[in-house]
Amino acid sequence: MDIFRLKKTASGEIKRAQDLKALNTLYKKYLGKKGEVTQVLRSLKNLPAKKRQLLGKKANEVKNSLTILFDKKARQLKQKAVKEMEEKEWIDVTAPGKKPIVGHLHPLTQVKRKTEEIFQQMGFSVVEGPEIETEWYNFDALNIPKEHPARDMWDTFYLKNGRLLRTHTSPVQIRYMEKNQPPLRIIVPGRIFRHEATDASHEINFYQVEGLMVDKNVSASNFKAIIEEFFKRFFGKPVQIRLRPSFFPFTEPSFEIDISCLVCGGKGCSTCSRTGWVEIMGAGMVHPAVFKAVGLNPKNWQGFAFGIGMDRLAMMKYKINDIRLFYNGDLRFLQQF
Ligand code: FA5
């Protein structure tokens, strides 16, 4: 090929090279050991002197200008590659970080902690007990003997080994008084189980907070004052409560405490079974038989005990109309707390 046409073709190809690899291939093609320009230079020795001088000069000029072109293009391509890499790996160090999704405390845990805080401020200690109980602690020691119909008040899950899933937190009253002498003030938050049909206000697994205060002179009016103070601090405002006479084998007298339904404002809704009131706790003065079961003389001691349904407390605080929402793990519900 004519050396000038060769130069033109090579220059065009060099200009169009997209990357260093392609440029390298072109270098080999024209200026490599067997490259086309190299071949021309090698063939010079076979030419007559005059022609050799003429073509030799031209071929060397072409070689030099192609070499310059290659160098220039290589520099450009290197710069381009660095720029592309910088663009790809660019990090904006001033951009705000991506926040990891963090969880938060379940509403029932928040209620439990708030309850503990309030009672601790009133001088109560927080105590725990086992979820798997013996019949003795769950029933007998609480004045509910084996064949007594009062056992039917709690539908119980019995285990094959003769134990049971505790149906209330009251057995911890016994466990604590066996080991600790009065005067005493405790609360016992914990999970309990009942073999019940579920509905908007009943679960088979839920939480209670037991309370127990024993001293020489403790009366039902002390109980009322303490529980009213608790509700006031818990809800951040006074709430309407009512005490109804009731029956528990381990208290005498016994009462049930309702609060005016905060979901509907007392008008009546599915949460309060259309009554305007929600039963929130059972309570009463500790029965002499309970003191006897733990070796205390009922003539020397008086006390009150109560069991609050923690789920119902949470329902009233957050105006939740179905207890089952606490346990179904739906994030759309949980993220609201
Ligand atoms: C008791 O469990 C007694 N141990 C309470 C007690 C303690 C009385 C100390 C006297 C002295 P009761 O079964 O009523 O009582 O339950 C207490 C509270 O638990 C109820 O007022 C209610 O708020 C809640 N509760 C009862 N059953 C359910 C249920 N299935 N689902 C959700 N909460 C419930």
Side-chain angles (χ1 to χ4, degrees):
M1 196 197 291
D2 173 78
I3 189 74
F4 287 114
R5 277 194 48 208
L6 194 60
K7 182 186 171 190
K8 206 168 163 218
T9 322
S11 308
E13 285 181 22
I14 292 168
K15 272 187 199 134
R16 288 192 298 275
Q18 287 298 313
D19 54 33
L20 286 167
K21 205 175 152 210
L23 192 69
N24 203 27
T25 313
L26 285 177
Y27 187 85
K28 276 189 196 147
K29 183 179 170 192
Y30 292 105
L31 297 181
K33 264 189 202 155
K34 289 180 189 159
E36 290 179 32
V37 179
T38 316
Q39 305 275 18
V40 175
L41 286 165
R42 279 210 186 124
S43 66
L44 289 176
K45 60 180 185 291
N46 306 325
L47 294 177
K50 201 147 186 215
K51 231 178 169 185
R52 182 168 62 214
Q53 204 183 9
L54 204 68
L55 187 61
K57 196 171 168 237
K58 285 183 195 163
N60 269 316
E61 275 169 17
V62 169
K63 185 186 171 189
N64 289 342
S65 72
L66 285 184
T67 306
I68 291 168
L69 261 187
F70 269 120
D71 283 351
K72 199 172 145 203
K73 187 70 182 180
R75 267 199 308 279
Q76 280 174 3
L77 288 174
K78 264 182 211 155
Q79 272 172 6
K80 191 175 141 212
V82 170
K83 214 167 150 211
E84 274 171 8
M85 198 175 71
E86 277 173 0
E87 261 163 32
K88 215 164 70 191
E89 295 182 1
W90 181 77
I91 299 170
D92 180 359
V93 288
T94 65
K98 278 189 195 142
K99 268 199 186 155
I101 302 169
V102 285
H104 61 76
L105 294 178
H106 190 280
L108 287 177
T109 309
Q110 294 182 31
V111 165
K112 175 173 172 267
R113 294 205 179 168
K114 184 75 192 162
T115 304
E116 288 172 355
E117 185 192 307
I118 297 169
F119 276 109
Q120 278 172 330
Q121 285 164 355
M122 295 196 281
F124 286 72
S125 308
V126 179
V127 174
E128 286 188 340
E131 290 175 2
I132 294 177
E133 262 302 0
T134 60
E135 282 193 56
W136 165 257
Y137 284 114
N138 199 79
F139 293 125
D140 301 83
L142 289 166
N143 198 26
I144 316 169
K146 211 171 190 73
E147 307 303 334
H148 196 281
R151 282 211 181 183
D152 294 345
M153 286 168 75
W154 295 276
D155 293 314
T156 311
F157 289 109
Y158 286 94
L159 303 178
K160 284 201 179 117
N161 62 9
R163 299 200 171 205
L164 49 84
L165 299 182
R166 66 176 175 188
T167 58
H168 48 179
T169 41
S170 301
V172 191
Q173 288 186 32
I174 306 295
R175 287 183 175 275
Y176 191 79
M177 284 195 285
E178 277 178 346
K179 296 211 173 94
N180 298 275
Q181 286 295 310
L184 52 90
R185 269 187 239 187
I186 56 161
I187 58 156
V188 187
R191 188 184 191 190
I192 67 155
F193 309 85
R194 290 191 191 174
H195 189 248
E196 279 183 22
T198 64
D199 63 25
S201 55
H202 292 85
E203 255 297 355
I204 58 165
N205 152 127
F206 61 100
Y207 288 82
Q208 282 188 341
V209 192
E210 192 78 7
L212 176 68
M213 177 168 173
V214 179
D215 209 328
K216 295 278 176 203
N217 270 311
V218 176
S219 66
S221 55
N222 293 144
F223 163 72
K224 192 166 174 273
I226 282 186
I227 214 62
E228 272 176 348
E229 183 62 22
F230 166 71
F231 283 138
K232 200 168 98 193
R233 293 196 201 175
F234 183 80
F235 292 109
K237 57 177 183 196
V239 290
Q240 223 185 327
I241 67 171
R242 70 176 186 190
L243 267 70
R244 283 182 288 122
S246 184
F247 168 72
F248 294 103
F250 36 93
T251 46
E252 181 58 36
S254 304
F255 14 87
E256 224 130 17
I257 291 91
D258 302 334
I259 64 171
S260 173
C261 181
L262 299 175
V263 173
C264 60
K267 288 195 200 84
C269 65
S270 64
T271 312
C272 58
S273 309
R274 322 255 160 234
T275 61
W277 294 93
V278 175
E279 180 201 314
I280 208 113
M281 64 198 287
M285 300 306 291
V286 179
H287 196 288
V290 172
F291 283 134
K292 278 187 201 149
V294 295
L296 291 175
N297 186 345
K299 290 206 176 80
N300 299 338
W301 300 104
Q302 287 180 330
F304 64 74
F306 59 85
I308 312 179
M310 211 147 59
D311 304 61
R312 302 231 178 127
L313 212 52
M315 288 167 80
M316 291 300 109
K317 186 170 178 85
Y318 300 120
K319 301 193 176 21
I320 292 160
N321 60 10
D322 198 317
I323 189 172
R324 292 164 291 197
L325 288 165
F326 289 129
Y327 300 97
N328 68 9
D330 190 334
L331 288 180
R332 289 168 304 177
F333 170 73
L334 294 173
Q335 274 161 354
Q336 298 175 55
F337 299 93

